[in-house]
């Protein structure tokens, strides 16, 4: 049976999943794994589709010093011990820029074009692309597909896409892209089954994790998003500040003597919940702390979500449903309760018992809009896109043979 490997590479971890492509049953998840602690304390753990542990192994630092070596180790384990040879590899790529609006098969030319956007997503793009380059070099015959976090938001209208800057800069690619698109695309596709009554209506989805954003959906399409040109905008995140006056950046450079590189590292790594609390970027730790700075960081996070919810409701001209997803959104009843309380003026009413149980529906019957908790699945979305590209390529070849 053909298998598809999905890779989501970060700076210190590589997540991977293996899906069987069954002609009758569709995609079936076989393996879910992760290599953590790259360059420090490498460890690989993976489970099968039933959740049973397949491997839990530690490695020397030198053996897994970077993302490329991590992929090689995980690939060798899949190939040599499990005899898995994927027909294609699907990759999460955060930034597709103005030219990539759908998943694409990657060759060296496509990779070179994607490298141009590395400075627009420095926490993600270089690490997303490293496994692609490794496979192009070491296994050039393997089909690779790049799936973009920006692509789902290409349905935005001009008013949502533009900044109030000269049009020429927009034509050069300076625009509001939006991110977490693979997550929002999965939620939009899951709503017809999970909550059919609101699937085609006006929905705000809150993707709340270490990276956090919100998206306004109407009829399953992205109307607007809290993120913009880069993944710095919008909500406060684990280590990123979210919305900030550009004058602050100018001040840091002119008055504090910070270079562009200094500012980039500061904004991506030292701000957000970490910067506000001075303790941690982990919401679980902050929520359990009575330190005043930790309490303030949590309150700020909730406050900005409430403000942006009102903005997106304005973009939708109303609101029929609110969906929580991603790590914090799916698992933190405490944060959900705080957010819904802030949205009471819009008519939100929380079922506290259902919320405590992380139930799929956590609103009361008298709520003006329904409130849902829906797990996201970006890896499945990537696998679906990769399979579609594979099938499209096979169909193209068949058409060419018929034409000849």
């Amino acid at each position: 049976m053909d298998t598809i490997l999905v890779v989501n590479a970060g700076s210190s971890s590589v997540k991977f999943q293996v899906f069987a492509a069954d002609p009758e049953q569709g995609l079936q998840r076989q393996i879910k794994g992760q290599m953590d602690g790259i360059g420090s304390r490498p460890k690989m753990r993976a489970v099968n589709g039933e959740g049973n542990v397949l491997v839990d192994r530690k490695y020397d630092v030198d053996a897994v010093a970077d993302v490329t070596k991590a992929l090689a180790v995980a690939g060798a384990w899949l190939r040599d011990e499990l005899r898995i040879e994927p027909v294609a590899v699907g990759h999460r790529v955060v930034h597709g820029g103005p030219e990539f609006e759908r998943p694409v098969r990657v060759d060296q030319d496509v990779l070179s074009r994607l490298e141009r956007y590395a400075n627009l997503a420095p926490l993600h793009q270089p690490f997303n692309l490293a496994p692609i380059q490794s496979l192009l070099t070491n296994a050039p015959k393997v089909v690779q597909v790049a799936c973009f976090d920006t692509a789902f938001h290409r349905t935005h209208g001009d008013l949502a896409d533009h900044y109030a800057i000269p049009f020429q800069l927009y034509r050069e690619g300076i625009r509001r892209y939006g991110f977490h698109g693979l997550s929002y695309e999965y939620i939009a596709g899951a709503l017809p089954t999970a909550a059919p009554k609101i699937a085609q209506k006006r929905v705000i989805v809150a993707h709340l994790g270490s990276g956090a954003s919100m998206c306004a959906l109407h009829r399953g399409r992205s109307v607007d998003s809290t993120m913009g040109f880069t993944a710095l905008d919008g909500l406060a995140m684990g280590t990123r500040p979210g919305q900030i006056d550009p004058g602050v950046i100018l001040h840091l450079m002119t008055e504090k003597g910070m270079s562009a590189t200094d500012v980039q590292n500061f904004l991506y790594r030292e701000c957000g919940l970490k910067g506000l609390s001075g303790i941690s970027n982990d919401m679980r730790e902050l929520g359990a702390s009575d330190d005043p700075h930790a309490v303030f960081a949590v309150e700020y996070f909730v406050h900005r979500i409430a403000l942006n919810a009102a903005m997106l409701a304005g973009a939708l001209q109303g609101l029929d449903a609110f969906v929580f997803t991603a790590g914090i959104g799916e698992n933190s009843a405490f944060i959900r309760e705080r957010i819904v309380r802030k949205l009471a003026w819009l008519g939100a009413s929380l079922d506290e018992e259902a919320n405590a149980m992380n139930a799929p529906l956590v609103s009361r019957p008298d709520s003006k809009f329904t409130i849902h908790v829906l797990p996201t699945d970006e890896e499945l979305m990537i696998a679906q896109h990769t399979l579609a590209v594979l099938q499209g390529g096979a169909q193209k070849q068949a058409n060419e043979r018929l034409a000849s």
Side-chain angles (χ1 to χ4, degrees), residues 7-15 38 66-67 123-124 126-128 131:
V7 176
N8 184 351
S11 59
S12 61
S13 68
V14 173
K15 299 177 183 177
I38 296 171
D66 54 33
V67 169
L123 288 186
H124 304 92
F127 308 105
N128 298 158

Side-chain angles (χ1 to χ4, degrees), residues 56-394:
D56 193 346
R57 192 175 297 170
K58 296 179 180 179
Y59 297 86
D60 292 334
V61 175
D62 292 341
V64 191
D66 54 33
V67 169
T68 299
K69 289 186 177 180
L71 182 67
V73 169
W77 174 71
L78 291 169
R79 181 182 60 253
D80 299 339
E81 298 187 36
L82 300 187
R83 300 292 187 266
I84 290 176
E85 294 280 359
V87 296
V89 182
H91 300 266
R92 178 197 181 200
V93 177
V94 166
H95 214 305
E99 56 184 317
F100 295 104
E101 58 183 28
R102 59 178 58 87
V104 62
R105 183 168 177 169
V106 185
D107 55 19
Q108 195 63 55
D109 176 63
V110 169
L111 179 62
S112 297
R113 287 149 66 190
L114 290 173
E115 287 172 343
R116 298 202 300 262
Y117 309 123
N119 67 330
L120 302 184
L123 288 186
H124 304 92
Q125 196 88 348
F127 308 105
N128 298 158
L129 301 183
I132 298 176
Q133 180 63 77
S134 178
L135 286 169
L136 283 174
T137 301
N138 300 307
K141 294 183 179 180
V142 174
V143 174
Q144 296 192 79
V145 177
C147 304
F148 305 103
D149 265 331
T150 50
F152 182 66
H153 301 294
R154 296 303 294 272
T155 55
H156 286 180
D158 287 343
L159 293 178
D161 255 6
H162 276 256
Y163 290 108
I165 57 178
F167 268 85
Q168 177 58 33
L169 292 173
Y170 177 84
R171 288 190 286 269
E172 293 174 9
I174 301 178
R175 60 187 68 174
R176 297 185 69 250
Y177 290 100
F179 296 87
H180 294 131
L182 291 164
S183 175
Y184 294 127
E185 185 177 10
Y186 175 82
I187 296 297
L191 282 176
T193 299
K197 291 183 179 180
I198 56 96
Q200 298 299 309
K201 294 186 177 181
R202 300 164 297 182
V203 181
I204 292 175
V205 184
H207 177 106
L208 306 180
S210 180
S213 70
M214 298 165 70
C215 176
L217 297 178
H218 186 218
R219 297 177 180 170
R221 293 160 63 89
S222 177
V223 172
D224 212 331
S225 171
T226 57
M227 282 184 167
F229 182 56
T230 70
L232 283 172
D233 203 4
L235 308 179
M237 293 166 256
T239 60
R240 287 169 272 173
Q243 182 182 10
I244 189 169
D245 184 338
V248 174
I249 313 305
L250 298 175
H251 178 82
L252 293 175
M253 299 179 77
T254 59
E255 301 299 322
K256 296 292 186 180
M258 295 175 70
S259 68
T261 300
D262 293 336
V263 171
Q264 178 173 280
N265 288 332
F266 174 71
L267 293 176
Y268 277 98
R269 294 178 171 86
E270 301 299 329
C271 296
L273 298 176
K274 178 183 177 181
L276 284 172
S277 70
I279 296 173
S280 174
N281 64 342
D282 190 321
M283 182 58 74
R284 291 166 297 187
E285 187 174 348
L286 297 178
S289 175
D290 58 2
D291 183 285
H293 295 293
V295 172
F296 181 80
V298 173
E299 290 178 349
Y300 186 92
F301 182 73
V302 170
H303 176 67
R304 301 306 300 187
I305 292 169
L307 289 180
N308 280 271
M311 177 190 74
L312 294 178
L316 291 167
Q317 292 293 285
L319 184 59
D320 299 303
F322 192 102
V323 177
F324 289 99
T325 194
I328 296 172
E330 295 169 23
N331 299 300
S332 179
F334 163 68
I335 291 296
R336 291 196 301 266
E337 186 273 331
R338 298 286 296 275
I339 292 169
V340 174
R341 190 191 309 166
K342 285 271 190 177
L343 299 180
W345 71 276
L346 280 172
S349 180
L350 186 72
D351 183 327
E352 295 183 2
E353 184 177 348
N355 184 51
M357 297 170 60
N358 295 327
L361 180 67
V362 296
S363 52
R364 291 167 52 89
D366 62 346
S367 183
K368 296 294 184 183
F369 53 89
T370 55
I371 306 170
H372 307 259
V373 179
L374 185 56
T376 191
D377 197 336
E378 294 160 295
E379 288 75 18
L380 178 58
M381 203 75 248
I382 294 169
Q384 289 175 351
H385 284 312
T386 302
L387 181 60
V389 170
L390 272 177
Q391 292 174 336

